[in-house]
Amino acid sequence: MAGNPLDKKSQAWSALFSEPMDALVQRYTASVGFDRRLWHADIAGSLAHARMLAAQRVIAAQDLADIERGLQQIGQEIEAGRFEWKLELEDVHLNIEARLTQLVGDAGKRLHTGRSRNDQVATDLRLWLRDEIDAIAALLAQLQRALLAVAEAHTDTVMPGYTHLQVAQPVSFAHHLLAYVEMFARDAERLADVRARTNRLPLGAAALAGTSYPLDREAVAHELGFDGLCENSLDAVSDRDFALEFAAFASIAMVHVSRLAEEIVLWMSQNFGFVDLPDRYCTGSSIMPQKRNPDVAELARGKSGRVIGHLMSLLTLMKGQPLAYNKDNQEDKEPLFDTVDTLAATLRIVAEMVGGMRVKPEALRAAAARGYATATDLADYLVRKGVPFRDAHEVVAHAVKLALARGVDLAELPLPDLRALHPQIADDARDALTLKGSLNARAVRGGTAPAQVRVQIERHRQRLTGN
Ligand code: ARG
């Protein structure tokens, strides 16, 4: 067996190079420090490629057997932490290939037939991301189920609904939580869409133009569980739009998480007092003994910033690149890895935090009773009596002014005073002014009436559990 050219990496790609790589350049260009994370996908991709090469009689059956044995051992070495990653070997691909040749000789050197690191890395990244997508889909479902469980217990819990963060109309607390379930359900749809376009095979594109070997790309795709092939070799090795899409999905999901986290922070403050979080999700202050801070919620809100930043990094990374592969693409990994890690950790912890949240129905109800949340209901009452809406609106504005001046709620204004504002107001106006009456009245599909909210909960439950 001849020597292993990868042992001296300055000669790895060609004898053309007459001087070794500068040490600084080596450190600057190496990616093995982070892309070793792709090792599992790299081995899976190499196995599928080798099996296809043997089936196509490009390599011998014995070569395949050697490659399989070698890659299996390498997998074990990496898993056990015994694999020696070498910076000189630049990236995960060359590290594994060099070790393979060290273990099995010439068969290892035949593995790269009809392949380039350009289609190899694109394949690895797609394989890796596909599995992460599946894990994140499960976490998104978990978060939705956690919200749904709290919602189920609070269909009849009234809270103030806000616009402009001013008390607007009473809503069911469950309805409020279901708004987030809708957001995360759409995120899950987006993620499924990203998966479909991620799960296509670049291998066979080789460096950029395809290859002259009789590769069976369909067989490789089938073995690796890809749904289809990248149909243009230049595009296959160069575009990373699947990563951009993923980062866009992740940014939107993190923005949704951030909004929820912001509400939890508000709700937990003394000024709202709507919910309490268990101590295990809070921290104290080193100087103010009375403090319990909702750090987990604040961090979930804060971490949306870095995920959005990664989306910007990836977009910017791509925008100036001519076809086909450019080394710029090596910079796709760290933002993508951190996006996956940040999103997964955030979804997991927020689901747990929501599950542990203690809701205070009395405080929610009391807040809804302040702020004249049922003013619209009094206007609607007058409309039902035949008063044009704009006139009714005006009458109620006067009622609110009166209530404000006396420091009472609308429902506490004596009937004669209300009738003085409009003769159509009768005894039954009281019902319209209660929080319960207000809630029940909004029974339109998608509205906050508890009966409607229960329908929505059931729909989500069936979607999320299949029963
Ligand atoms: N480490 C490289 C990357 O992450 C692998 C592909 C390198 N190909 C090349 N011709 N330099 O993109």
Side-chain angles (χ1 to χ4, degrees), residues 29-32 34-35 38 90-93 116-122 207 240 325-333:
T29 56
S31 55
V32 65
F34 49 85
D35 69 11
L38 298 173
E90 191 179 320
D91 58 23
V92 60
H93 322 292
S116 152
R117 274 188 297 155
N118 297 351
D119 57 347
Q120 186 178 359
V121 69
R240 296 290 183 268
Y325 176 85
N326 302 279
K327 186 80 165 180
D328 311 43
N329 278 339
Q330 184 165 288
E331 286 289 305
D332 61 3
K333 288 168 201 66

Side-chain angles (χ1 to χ4, degrees), residues 35-49 71 78 92-93 96 115 119-132 201 203 224 226 337:
D35 69 11
R36 66 177 71 172
R37 191 167 170 172
L38 298 173
W39 71 267
H40 199 272
D42 196 68
I43 288 180
S46 287
L47 281 172
H49 182 67
L71 287 177
I78 296 173
V92 60
H93 322 292
I96 290 178
R115 188 177 75 169
D119 57 347
Q120 186 178 359
V121 69
T123 301
D124 290 4
L125 201 59
R126 284 172 184 263
L127 265 183
W128 176 84
L129 184 59
R130 181 188 71 194
D131 289 351
E132 297 296 332
L201 175 74
L203 222 52
L224 292 173
F226 282 108
F337 292 166

Side-chain angles (χ1 to χ4, degrees), residues 258-275 277 292-301 353 357:
S258 182
R259 296 185 67 190
L260 174 61
E262 163 69 0
E263 299 222 72
I264 291 174
V265 170
L266 285 174
W267 292 345
M268 207 185 127
S269 82
Q270 285 78 0
N271 303 312
F272 284 77
F274 290 173
V275 302
L277 289 176
R292 275 173 77 250
N293 300 327
D295 286 36
V296 169
E298 291 169 64
L299 269 177
R301 185 178 61 193
M353 184 176 67
M357 193 167 69

Side-chain angles (χ1 to χ4, degrees), residues 393-427:
H393 188 275
E394 186 62 16
V395 169
V396 177
H398 284 293
V400 170
K401 205 168 159 190
L402 188 62
L404 264 175
R406 295 189 191 168
V408 299
D409 190 48
L410 274 181
E412 290 163 349
L413 286 176
L415 188 60
D417 291 334
L418 284 172
R419 285 183 67 86
L421 291 170
H422 201 285
Q424 293 274 45
I425 299 179
D427 217 14

Side-chain angles (χ1 to χ4, degrees), residues 90-328:
E90 191 179 320
D91 58 23
V92 60
H93 322 292
L94 293 180
N95 266 271
I96 290 178
E97 194 187 330
R99 177 67 179 143
L100 180 67
T101 300
Q102 201 179 56
L103 288 172
V104 305
D106 281 354
K109 291 192 247 169
R110 295 205 170 95
L111 171 62
H112 212 48
T113 312
R115 188 177 75 169
S116 152
R117 274 188 297 155
N118 297 351
D119 57 347
Q120 186 178 359
V121 69
T123 301
D124 290 4
L125 201 59
R126 284 172 184 263
L127 265 183
W128 176 84
L129 184 59
R130 181 188 71 194
D131 289 351
E132 297 296 332
I133 284 174
D134 292 343
I136 284 172
L139 290 171
L140 264 178
Q142 194 174 309
L143 175 54
Q144 290 177 72
R145 281 194 293 270
L147 286 163
L148 208 55
V150 183
E152 277 189 289
H154 291 285
T155 50
D156 293 272
T157 299
V158 193
M159 71 178 287
Y162 299 89
T163 61
H164 314 269
L165 205 57
Q166 308 288 314
V167 172
Q169 292 173 352
V171 295
S172 146
F173 187 62
H175 193 57
H176 194 110
L177 294 179
L178 288 185
Y180 286 99
V181 175
E182 293 286 339
M183 294 178 224
F184 294 126
R186 286 195 300 278
D187 290 332
E189 283 177 25
R190 261 185 286 278
L191 184 60
D193 215 39
V194 175
R195 189 189 197 279
R197 277 184 293 276
T198 299
N199 202 27
R200 290 179 195 159
L201 175 74
L203 222 52
L208 76 164
T211 173
S212 57
Y213 297 97
L215 302 190
D216 182 351
R217 298 188 65 204
E218 284 82 2
V220 176
H222 181 76
E223 168 153 1
L224 292 173
F226 282 108
D227 296 323
L229 306 178
C230 299
E231 298 287 359
N232 178 295
S233 61
L234 296 163
D235 177 48
V237 293
S238 66
D239 207 347
R240 296 290 183 268
D241 59 357
F242 62 96
L244 301 186
E245 273 193 69
F246 179 82
F249 143 80
S251 297
I252 296 172
M254 284 297 290
V255 165
H256 289 154
V257 171
S258 182
R259 296 185 67 190
L260 174 61
E262 163 69 0
E263 299 222 72
I264 291 174
V265 170
L266 285 174
W267 292 345
M268 207 185 127
S269 82
Q270 285 78 0
N271 303 312
F272 284 77
F274 290 173
V275 302
D276 207 359
L277 289 176
D279 284 342
R280 61 183 184 280
Y281 294 107
C282 299
T283 63
S285 157
S286 51
I287 179 167
M288 297 165 285
Q290 86 282 13
K291 294 272 286 200
R292 275 173 77 250
N293 300 327
D295 286 36
V296 169
E298 291 169 64
L299 269 177
R301 185 178 61 193
K303 280 176 190 287
S304 60
R306 63 199 274 169
V307 172
I308 293 167
H310 293 326
L311 171 61
M312 295 309 130
S313 298
L314 291 171
L315 286 167
T316 312
L317 167 70
M318 202 74 244
K319 76 170 278 294
Q321 287 194 49
L323 287 175
Y325 176 85
N326 302 279
K327 186 80 165 180
D328 311 43

